Amino acid sequence: SDAGTTVMILLAIAGVVLFVIGGGIQLGLIRYNLDLLTRENPPAFLTLFSRMSIFGRALGLRLMTGILTGLWSLFVIPGIVAAYRYALAPYLMAEHPEIGVMEAISQSKALMRGNKWRLFCLQLSFIGWGILSTLTMGIGNLWLAPYRNAAETAFYLELTGRRDAMPWPDIPVDAQPEALPEAPAEEN
C-alpha cells in the first residue's frame, strides 16, 4: 500500500540521518563521559555536540569500522572479534580529535590486544539489567545506558593508564561488591 511504502521510506531516511549525525553525537557522548569520570572539565550538556566540529572524521570512523567489521563478519566469529578490536576507536577520536580514522582504528587494535575478553565480560555483566530493562518496555534504559557508558569509559581509562584520573582509582573496574571499600562510619 502507498501508506506502508511512505512509512518505510521515511524510516529509511530517518535511519540514514541518524547514522550520519550519530558519529559526532557518539563522540560527544564519550567526551561527556570522560569529563564526568576524570573530572578534567565539568560535564555540560553542550559537550554532547562538541565533536560535531569533526563531523567528517566521525562519520568516516563509523563507516570504516562498520565496513571492516562487516567484512570480517562474513566469517562470523572473526566479525565478533573485529567488533571488539575496533571498540575503542571512538573513545580515542573523542579524546584526540586531531587523529585520523585509521590512526584511531590502529590505536584501538593495540589497546584491545589481550583485552577483548575483558570488554566482552564487562558487557556481558549487563545482560540481566538489559533483560529487566526490556521488561519495563525500555524505561529501565534511562538508568542502564548511562551506567554502561560509565563502565565502558572506565574500562577505556584503565587501558590508557589513567585509572588515577578517576576520583576512585583504588576500586578495580571489575570489582565484586565484597571487594569494595567500606563506607566511612558517620559521626553523630
Side-chain angles (χ1 to χ4, degrees):
S1 73
D2 286 341
T5 305
T6 303
V7 168
M8 293 302 290
I9 290 171
L10 289 174
L11 287 174
I13 291 170
V16 168
V17 169
L18 287 174
F19 180 82
V20 168
I21 66 168
I25 301 295
Q26 176 191 27
L27 297 185
L29 179 61
I30 290 169
R31 182 68 252 174
Y32 179 90
N33 278 296
L34 287 166
D35 289 347
L36 188 67
L37 264 64
T38 63
R39 300 187 179 171
E40 290 171 0
N41 301 305
F45 177 75
L46 290 178
T47 305
L48 295 172
F49 306 100
S50 66
R51 295 304 182 244
M52 291 305 280
S53 60
I54 58 167
F55 170 80
R57 277 184 280 144
L59 176 59
L61 181 65
R62 204 168 238 221
L63 286 170
M64 187 56 73
T65 56
I67 289 168
L68 291 171
T69 303
L71 289 173
W72 280 110
S73 293
L74 295 173
F75 304 105
V76 184
I77 300 298
I80 295 167
V81 172
Y84 281 97
R85 185 181 307 129
Y86 310 134
L88 297 182
Y91 287 86
L92 290 157
M93 188 173 279
E95 190 166 28
H96 306 285
E98 70 281 357
I99 67 173
V101 171
M102 295 312 291
E103 178 68 19
I105 289 172
S106 175
Q107 288 181 22
S108 177
K109 286 165 49 175
L111 283 172
M112 290 303 290
R113 193 166 292 121
N115 292 299
K116 293 177 216 51
W117 181 249
R118 287 183 60 217
L119 180 58
F120 175 78
C121 290
L122 174 66
Q123 291 174 339
L124 188 64
S125 72
F126 289 98
I127 196 164
W129 291 110
I131 292 168
L132 285 175
S133 179
T134 302
L135 294 176
T136 65
M137 292 184 274
I139 294 171
N141 268 324
L142 293 173
W143 291 270
L144 179 59
Y147 182 33
R148 282 187 62 168
N149 288 337
E152 289 179 14
T153 302
F155 177 81
Y156 167 76
L157 287 170
E158 182 178 327
L159 289 187
T160 55
R162 299 197 350 262
R163 173 184 232 147
D164 293 338
M166 294 185 284
W168 51 90
D170 54 332
I171 298 175
V173 172
D174 55 355
Q176 299 301 315
E178 63 274 1
L180 300 177
E182 291 185 28
E186 291 185 27
E187 295 180 25
N188 292 335

